[in-house]
Amino acid sequence: MSMHNNLKELLTIKEGPVVSIFIKTYPGINFAAKNQLKLKTSLKTAKEEHADIDKKAWGAIEGQLTNFMNDIADRIGQFPSIALYLTPNNYFKFNLNHAIELDQVIVGPEAYTLPLLAQQATKLSGTILSLNRDSFELHQFKEGILLKQELPKDAPIDMVSALGPERTDTTTTHGPTGALHGLNTKDEEKAIDNKNYYLAIEQFLMAHTDLIYKRLFIIGLPKNQSLFRDLTKLKTVNSEITIKKSPSALTTAEIEKELLDQNQVLIDQTVEKLLDRARSLDEVNPSETNPADLFALLTQHRVKTLLINEESMFPGLIVDGQIVDTEPGKTTNNLLNDLANFTLRNGGDVYVISATHFNSGQFVYGV
């Protein structure tokens, strides 16, 4: 069984061990063999360094890598880097939008998620409504890429399919959606047609809510967006991230980049607000920045957001709800990683951010 890009499912894995692989990829399908070799080499290295894990578990993990290769390995090079998690029963693949500096392979009782969490932009997902004056398209935005969505036959993909052909006489006729199409080309008649068409799109989307994934982002000229937002009752329309340009003037790559860039700006703003609050809390209670003491606050639900220093490592594991001391210097035993996973499992948020936000020797803020 495979679970692509599903962090929630990844954090429920209990069978272990988990092999976490992070590689910088060679771009494009022409280097598929090189990317596959990188993954095989990483897994071989992990197996050699962890001879204490039984052969049956390693055999199952190797089988999951083979499954991944058979499924989508030729498309690894679509992104600068990938994170691949292998367990005896599953594999999980995440595309990373920025190239990692150093390939890594980490074996532990659970997934090593800190490098993945450091790339918050990969969290952005939703449905893209490309809105023209007289037509529309839907795309799914997942893992930083646009995937065109097939629409049902009753979709009002353009003004004619929604309102019918433009009237050329004075007879009273209505289009497929019940709205009357214009009799002439005067500006006021065009405005009525535009409004009726957008109402038809809204009614279609409300009747087909399964087509809308989490959030609805709009691409369109400002006047088109303004009209649609004034009319719509859709609760999923996102107002923070939007592209106010004609969809036909943008390439797929330009849309993907703009959405990710805008999302990163929002993340940066959120992190700055959290940092201000965390620093004020730290002045009152310095223990909130100590990883071991912080765990108690997490279990008491007094902290729900972590800000983790991306360059830090603190030895320890969380085992059966208790912190266990481990040998310093072992990447597999990073208490910060376990704290991050614990927080996410319990509905909190985690931001892995630059070391420049922390004082010397400081590992984490709790908010």
Side-chain angles (χ1 to χ4, degrees):
M1 182 171 70
S2 64
M3 303 281 185
H4 303 309
N5 194 31
N6 195 326
L7 182 58
K8 184 178 179 180
E9 290 290 339
L10 173 62
L11 293 175
T12 65
I13 294 299
K14 296 179 180 179
E15 74 269 19
V18 182
V19 180
S20 306
I21 301 174
F22 306 90
I23 66 164
K24 182 178 179 180
T25 64
Y26 295 98
I29 59 174
N30 293 332
F31 294 101
K34 282 191 174 183
N35 288 324
Q36 292 182 38
L37 180 60
K38 265 197 170 192
L39 292 172
K40 291 177 182 177
T41 301
S42 296
L43 185 56
K44 181 180 178 182
T45 300
K47 186 176 180 181
E48 290 172 350
E49 292 178 353
H50 294 271
D52 54 313
I53 297 175
D54 68 79
K55 292 182 179 180
K56 183 177 180 182
W58 276 121
I61 289 170
E62 288 169 337
Q64 290 303 322
L65 179 59
T66 299
N67 291 339
F68 172 70
M69 299 292 191
N70 292 337
D71 288 347
I72 56 172
D74 62 327
R75 300 195 297 277
I76 297 174
Q78 286 181 318
F79 283 78
S81 303
I82 68 161
L84 180 64
Y85 298 91
L86 303 170
T87 76
N89 296 325
N90 299 271
Y91 75 75
F92 300 78
K93 183 268 302 177
F94 298 82
N95 291 325
L96 306 181
N97 292 289
H98 306 290
I100 60 173
E101 292 183 9
L102 185 67
D103 291 355
Q104 283 183 289
V105 57
I106 299 167
V107 180
E110 61 175 274
Y112 197 79
T113 60
L114 293 182
L116 177 64
L117 298 174
Q119 301 208 34
Q120 292 287 325
T122 59
K123 286 187 172 182
L124 182 64
S125 60
T127 302
I128 309 299
L129 170 61
S130 295
L131 189 66
N132 299 301
R133 188 189 67 82
D134 55 3
S135 64
F136 87 99
E137 289 184 346
L138 288 182
H139 289 78
Q140 292 296 333
F141 189 63
K142 297 180 181 179
E143 300 184 63
I145 60 175
L146 287 179
L147 303 171
K148 187 171 182 179
Q149 190 158 341
E150 294 297 325
L151 299 176
K153 291 182 179 180
D154 63 337
I157 56 173
D158 53 37
M159 192 173 286
V160 172
S161 63
L163 308 182
E166 187 170 359
R167 290 171 54 200
T168 57
D169 55 33
T170 58
T171 60
T172 303
T173 59
H174 294 78
T177 63
L180 185 66
H181 201 165
L183 177 62
N184 55 54
T185 58
K186 292 181 180 179
D187 288 344
E188 58 268 30
E189 190 65 55
K190 288 183 177 180
I192 293 172
D193 286 349
N194 196 187
K195 179 179 178 180
N196 286 337
Y197 179 54
Y198 283 7
L199 283 170
I201 295 174
E202 183 220 23
Q203 291 167 7
F204 169 78
L205 293 175
M206 291 184 71
H208 296 79
T209 54
D210 58 305
L211 297 176
I212 303 175
Y213 178 74
K214 293 184 180 179
R215 293 180 289 180
L216 186 67
F217 305 104
I218 302 180
I219 303 174
L221 294 173
K223 61 182 180 180
N224 292 336
Q225 287 206 38
S226 179
L227 175 59
F228 187 81
R229 290 178 188 278
D230 288 344
L231 294 173
T232 188
K233 297 181 179 64
L234 289 164
K235 299 183 183 301
T236 54
V237 175
N238 187 280
S239 59
E240 293 182 301
I241 298 177
T242 179
I243 301 178
K244 294 182 179 180
K245 299 176 183 178
S246 172
S248 60
L250 298 170
T251 66
T252 297
E254 288 171 337
I255 293 172
E256 292 168 350
K257 184 179 185 304
E258 187 145 358
L259 290 170
L260 290 172
D261 287 348
Q262 288 189 42
N263 189 57
Q264 190 59 55
V265 169
L266 291 181
I267 289 171
D268 292 343
Q269 292 172 350
T270 299
V271 167
E272 283 303 318
K273 291 177 182 177
L274 289 169
L275 282 168
D276 287 343
R277 187 177 173 200
R279 287 164 184 149
S280 66
L281 290 173
D282 187 40
E283 292 175 2
V284 178
N285 184 0
S287 68
E288 291 195 13
T289 61
N290 182 293
D293 293 343
L294 186 56
F295 181 59
L297 298 175
L298 287 166
T299 57
Q300 296 164 18
H301 306 290
R302 292 170 57 192
V303 167
K304 64 181 296 184
T305 301
L306 296 185
L307 299 160
I308 297 176
N309 183 337
E310 68 177 355
E311 296 180 8
S312 290
M313 189 274 173
F314 194 91
L317 293 172
I318 298 175
V319 180
D320 296 329
Q322 301 292 325
I323 290 181
V324 177
D325 292 332
T326 58
E327 180 184 341
K330 270 199 169 184
T331 310
T332 52
N333 299 333
N334 188 347
L335 180 58
L336 297 174
N337 185 73
D338 282 24
L339 288 174
N341 290 352
F342 180 89
T343 302
L344 293 170
R345 286 191 187 101
N346 288 278
D349 294 311
V350 177
Y351 296 90
V352 179
I353 58 179
S354 169
T356 58
H357 296 295
F358 298 84
N359 296 325
S360 178
Q362 193 171 32
F363 303 104
V364 60
Y365 285 115
V367 184

